Amino acid sequence: MARKNTFARRTPTDIALHVWGIIVFIYLFVPIAVIIAYSFNNGKVLANFQDFGLGAYISGINNDVIISSVVTSLQAALGTAIVATIFGTLGGVALARARRGALWALGLTGLLGLTLVTPEIVDGISFLPWFVTVGVDWGVSPLNNGLVRLIISHAMFSMAIVTFIVRARLAGIDTRLEDAAADLGATPWNRFKDIILPIAAPGIFAGALMSFTVSLDNTILSSFVQQPGYTPWPVYIFSAVRVALRPEVAAISTLMFLLTLLALAFVAVVLRKTGGSSTEIIKTMAP
Amino acid sequence: MSTQTHPTTRSDASPNTGPNPKTGTPPKLGSKSDRFATRVFGAAAMSFPTWAYVLFFFIAPVALVVFYSFGYKPDQFTAVATDQLSFDRYPEAMSGAFVTTFFATLRISVLGTILCLLIALPFAYWLAIKVSPARRSLALALVMVPFWTNFLVRTLGWQIMLSPDGFLSNWMQGLGLLDAPLDILYTRTAVQIGVVYNYLPLMILPLFVAIDASGHKLREASYDLGAGKVTTFLKVTLPMAMPGVVSGCLLVFIPLNGDYVTATVLGGASGSMIGQLIANQFNTAQNWALGAAMAMILIIATLAVVGIGFALLWLGRTIAARINSVQLTDGRV
């Protein structure tokens, strides 16, 4: 009710804020609109619009290099989401249940915090020699696979996000719930499965989603750890920037954009069915 | 306090079923302290995989690079040697082009963070307070959409827009706003625009969450107690939003400082950032020791700026607290 009142009397400040909000939205969306518009460019160079057509879509979908890089990216993103979610959830649950001031918990929080404040370029140059040392010199051959390298490095990058989201989600819960379950004879695994997981689920879900996107977006780290045959999509684009950008890049990006929107809509529908509010989810996701 | 009612739970949960070894609590109290021990032991054990992952895939690789930064490049074909350790790479890194680029990067990052904050603060305030709750979910989702599209692709959108023979340039010339083609692409201004654009959602979200959490009731209370809009904003909303401001600034500044993709796309030759120089040492020059030293300098500088930021924040708070307390006593006397 009170909210309605403040909304009804529109002071100049309110009007200015509304205008500002709309301007920021335009700012946020203009480059995306430009890319979508230029994906219909039938010319040879992306930035030089010649005539309207679907040529870029057709040649993009038929371009094996582009398609394989998109597939690599999606595989890496999926793997990252799985790995980061498993390790991050374990870490988050453990931290949420830690005794106040426990050294291992402080240490883990500090280390994960450190991973968050480390610039991506430093992660990149660190992983490069490390993968060579462990994979080649020590002979741990799975680490020589390009996809494994992408997943491991991306998961490291987003593990802290998942851990902190899950911890935050569990921070408020009553530990007596678990005690009660234990009194009723639940085993630790059952307590984890039936109490912790359902409560943490929105956080875990948000974390998985975040790791997926972070991985899909990652350029700098990927360009260091990538192996021949496993070039992810952003790295492909970035190398194309230095040579010549063709409209195919815009066309495939537009397709991926549409796919993302569909996936998000699907997620929103699922969440609505399960009763979660999208605002709540977005709020859990914001660091 | 119950006695042993469910031995199964306890025996499979923890090897520690006897009296608490630290405090030597007698078994009678074991029921409670025992479960506590189980929980602590369980939590620590549960964190083990995450610990192991972070140690093996973060600490170890970074430690290796720190070690490399004390090495040197022995000859043209070897990237790094560490048989003689020295600090020589650090002064070598801090000379020549690196210093210029270093300060240019810091300027872009600090200015970028401030601009993001200035743009995002009114926007997040509007989103959290002025947009009706029914529309807020949609508005938030819209803020997230750019975040869900590849940031490199969005940067390409800016490249197309800012190019001298692009549509924006042509329109502006057609409207008479410009008498020469738009001359922004491949300048620092273009880099600044792109950087602010790319990191803006990272500033908006934590600010939104913080302002939203600051609560309508507190603001209403402030109005009821006779405070005006400005006072309410300065004394209720803004202080409550401070955690959001801090985490937003960190989220923008830290990755921005190491980013060089935006700068390469929009700044061309004039947009090289520290990240680019470090990458060059590893990719083209193959001088890992020098690159590692540059990376260490980048980390130290990033932490230093963050430290200065926190110090300024603390100073601001202390001063604000002092001013407020003075006003309060004046009002009463």
Side-chain angles (χ1 to χ4, degrees):
Chain A
M1 190 201 98
R3 194 180 285 275
K4 245 182 203 159
N5 281 344
T6 46
F7 203 68
R9 50 179 156 87
R10 292 208 166 181
T11 62
T13 333
D14 285 1
I15 294 167
L17 279 173
H18 278 282
V19 171
W20 185 249
I22 290 160
I23 290 175
V24 172
F25 268 126
I26 293 173
Y27 178 62
L28 285 175
F29 278 91
V30 158
I32 299 174
V34 169
I35 285 291
I36 294 177
Y38 274 70
S39 71
F40 298 106
N41 176 6
N42 259 358
K44 289 252 182 278
V45 182
L46 174 66
N48 186 3
F49 203 101
Q50 295 203 315
D51 50 349
F52 185 88
L54 291 172
Y57 284 88
I58 294 162
S59 62
I61 288 172
N62 290 318
N63 185 328
D64 288 343
V65 183
I66 289 182
I67 294 303
S68 90
S69 73
V70 170
V71 170
T72 302
S73 264
L74 291 174
Q75 285 172 331
L78 193 65
T80 302
I82 294 170
V83 173
T85 306
I86 291 174
F87 284 86
T89 304
L90 286 175
V93 172
L95 285 182
R97 304 200 311 177
R99 189 167 35 87
R100 193 172 286 272
L103 278 182
W104 64 266
L106 291 178
L108 189 60
T109 313
L111 282 185
L112 288 171
L114 203 60
T115 68
L116 281 184
V117 300
T118 308
E120 204 181 329
I121 173 79
V122 176
D123 287 323
I125 60 164
S126 308
F127 270 117
L128 176 72
W130 184 246
F131 280 144
V132 175
T133 309
V134 177
V136 182
D137 299 351
W138 300 358
V140 185
S141 53
L143 278 187
N144 295 328
N145 179 287
L147 200 56
V148 173
R149 285 190 178 191
L150 285 174
I151 291 174
I152 285 180
S153 55
H154 290 182
M156 182 67 260
F157 205 61
S158 42
M159 192 167 295
I161 304 175
V162 184
T163 307
F164 290 147
I165 293 178
V166 171
R167 185 189 61 176
R169 177 77 201 175
L170 290 175
I173 70 157
D174 196 336
T175 48
R176 280 175 301 182
L177 276 177
E178 263 193 273
D179 289 345
D183 280 341
L184 294 170
T187 60
W189 164 245
N190 276 334
R191 299 203 299 262
F192 182 72
K193 181 171 66 84
D194 293 335
I195 297 177
I196 305 279
L197 276 188
I199 295 176
I204 296 173
F205 184 73
L209 227 54
M210 282 293 268
S211 355
F212 188 88
T213 9
V214 166
S215 165
L216 212 55
D217 228 21
N218 188 288
T219 313
I220 296 179
L221 185 50
S222 306
S223 71
F224 277 97
V225 299
Q226 63 148 344
Q227 295 274 81
Y230 292 99
T231 303
W233 172 237
V235 178
Y236 172 85
I237 304 176
F238 194 45
S239 54
V241 168
R242 300 175 182 194
V243 192
L245 276 169
R246 296 172 54 86
E248 280 90 333
V249 168
I252 298 297
S253 300
T254 306
L255 287 180
M256 289 185 76
F257 178 56
L258 289 178
L259 277 178
T260 319
L261 285 190
L262 279 178
L264 279 183
F266 173 74
V267 167
V269 170
V270 170
L271 283 179
R272 192 151 294 180
K273 283 241 168 90
T274 54
S277 122
S278 52
T279 318
E280 284 305 311
I281 290 296
I282 291 170
K283 277 201 265 173
T284 17
M285 288 173 64
Chain B
M1 179 117 340
S2 72
T3 48
Q4 297 277 3
T5 47
H6 42 265
T8 39
T9 315
R10 221 153 281 150
S11 59
D12 65 15
S14 159
N16 210 3
T17 38
N20 190 325
K22 264 191 191 156
T23 53
T25 325
K28 200 190 126 210
L29 276 170
S31 140
K32 185 100 184 186
S33 69
D34 208 31
R35 192 174 305 141
F36 184 71
T38 308
R39 201 159 63 213
V40 169
F41 177 77
M46 198 177 234
S47 78
F48 177 74
T50 320
W51 258 109
Y53 199 105
V54 176
L55 285 181
F56 197 73
F57 290 120
F58 178 71
I59 296 302
V62 171
L64 189 64
V65 164
V66 174
F67 180 59
Y68 280 165
S69 75
F70 301 120
Y72 65 101
K73 183 175 174 61
D75 58 72
Q76 204 185 335
F77 305 104
T78 318
V80 68
T82 46
D83 50 322
Q84 291 166 345
L85 299 179
S86 69
F87 281 103
D88 295 351
R89 297 295 82 72
Y90 287 82
E92 188 184 337
M94 283 305 278
S95 60
F98 183 82
V99 180
T100 332
T101 314
F102 183 79
F103 286 109
T105 307
L106 272 187
R107 212 190 72 179
I108 286 177
S109 318
V110 171
L111 192 60
T113 310
I114 294 171
L115 285 174
C116 276
L117 184 62
L118 291 181
I119 295 174
L121 195 58
F123 183 79
Y125 182 81
W126 173 71
L127 203 58
I129 294 171
K130 300 293 175 188
V131 175
S132 67
R135 286 194 214 150
R136 199 176 302 141
S137 291
L138 179 69
L140 258 184
L142 284 177
V143 174
M144 294 295 283
V145 166
F147 196 63
W148 293 96
T149 47
N150 191 289
F151 90 99
L152 188 49
V153 173
R154 286 180 276 143
T155 315
L156 290 180
W158 279 107
Q159 195 191 44
I160 294 174
M161 249 192 300
L162 296 179
S163 80
D165 48 0
F167 70 95
L168 191 67
S169 170
N170 291 343
W171 285 356
M172 285 175 88
Q173 285 180 86
L175 290 171
L177 292 168
L178 278 175
D179 35 356
L182 195 62
D183 188 25
I184 289 186
L185 192 61
Y186 305 131
T187 63
R188 288 210 187 286
T189 317
V191 176
Q192 199 72 63
I193 293 176
V195 146
V196 169
Y197 174 80
N198 272 336
Y199 291 90
L200 188 60
L202 288 175
M203 183 67 91
I204 292 176
L205 288 175
L207 279 180
F208 167 79
V209 173
I211 295 177
D212 194 50
S214 73
H216 192 64
K217 284 179 187 161
L218 269 179
R219 280 193 302 275
E220 284 293 312
S222 166
Y223 293 135
D224 285 348
L225 291 170
K229 288 205 151 187
V230 178
T231 318
T232 305
F233 178 78
L234 287 180
K235 296 210 169 155
V236 178
T237 315
L238 199 59
M240 297 285 284
M242 261 344 254
V245 173
V246 171
S247 62
C249 287
L250 289 177
L251 277 173
V252 171
F253 177 74
I254 291 165
L256 173 47
N257 222 5
D259 179 20
Y260 59 87
V261 172
T262 317
T264 309
V265 175
L266 294 175
S270 59
S272 66
M273 310 246 299
I274 313 177
Q276 180 71 65
L277 295 188
I278 298 173
N280 287 346
Q281 292 304 326
F282 276 80
N283 291 333
T284 46
Q286 289 287 325
N287 189 345
W288 288 9
L290 186 59
M294 288 175 170
M296 291 310 122
I297 296 172
L298 170 66
I299 293 186
I300 294 166
T302 309
L303 291 180
V305 173
V306 171
I308 293 172
F310 274 111
L312 286 178
L313 192 68
W314 176 81
L315 199 69
R317 266 189 194 158
T318 319
I319 291 172
R322 196 152 289 172
I323 291 171
N324 284 348
S325 67
V326 167
Q327 277 179 352
L328 204 63
T329 32
D330 278 349
R332 275 180 186 169
V333 170

